[in-house]
Amino acid sequence: MSDPLILLAHGSRDPRWRAPFDALADSLSSRLEAPLRLAYMELCDPSLEQVAAELAEAGYPRADVLPLFFAAGRHLREDVPRQIEALHAKHETLTIELLAPVGEHPAFVDALTSIIEGRART
């Protein structure tokens, strides 16, 4: 059983904001062997708590959380680690690891640089 990957986005009350995240998760789900879930910190469902409960109930021993954030601000330094700590206390059989946000990955920086350079030339 592969460990699930949880993509964590901030969340918004605006359903149009959510569309690109849903499209990304749908596209990735068909490409990855590992189970993929999308969760939101706040303001929309499914929450990280809901996804963790689902994974624990399914018997997964661990999951990684990949924040879809440019950088690790207060949410990723304080709020999400607290959420994960509370989730571990609630679902003792599920270990959840918080990964660095996508914005800190060199490939993300390269992709973003290419996009910006392309726009600057037009």
Side-chain angles (χ1 to χ4, degrees):
M1 180 183 322
S2 296
D3 294 334
L5 178 62
I6 303 168
L7 300 179
L8 181 66
H10 186 276
S12 172
R13 289 183 182 91
D14 183 347
R16 294 171 297 179
W17 173 91
R18 184 184 164 139
F21 296 97
D22 289 335
L24 176 64
D26 289 345
S27 175
L28 286 171
S29 289
S30 64
R31 296 180 187 187
L32 301 179
E33 291 183 26
L36 181 77
R37 301 291 189 278
L38 179 60
Y40 298 96
M41 270 194 52
E42 58 188 10
L43 306 173
C44 54
D45 291 327
S47 67
L48 184 56
E49 291 82 2
Q50 290 167 322
V51 170
E54 172 192 320
L55 296 175
E57 187 174 311
Y60 288 102
R62 67 173 321 257
D64 291 326
V65 175
L66 179 59
L68 300 177
F69 289 64
F70 275 10
R74 183 182 54 83
H75 283 317
L76 294 183
R77 287 191 319 269
E78 298 173 16
D79 301 337
V80 176
R82 258 195 310 263
Q83 282 181 309
I84 289 173
E85 193 174 303
L87 290 171
H88 180 67
K90 188 172 184 176
H91 307 287
E92 294 178 359
T93 61
L94 179 64
T95 299
I96 300 173
E97 181 178 344
L98 179 60
L99 304 174
V102 294
E104 292 182 7
H105 193 284
F108 181 85
V109 174
D110 290 344
L112 189 57
T113 299
S114 293
I115 292 167
I116 294 168
E117 286 174 345
R119 294 294 182 175
R121 290 185 190 130
T122 57

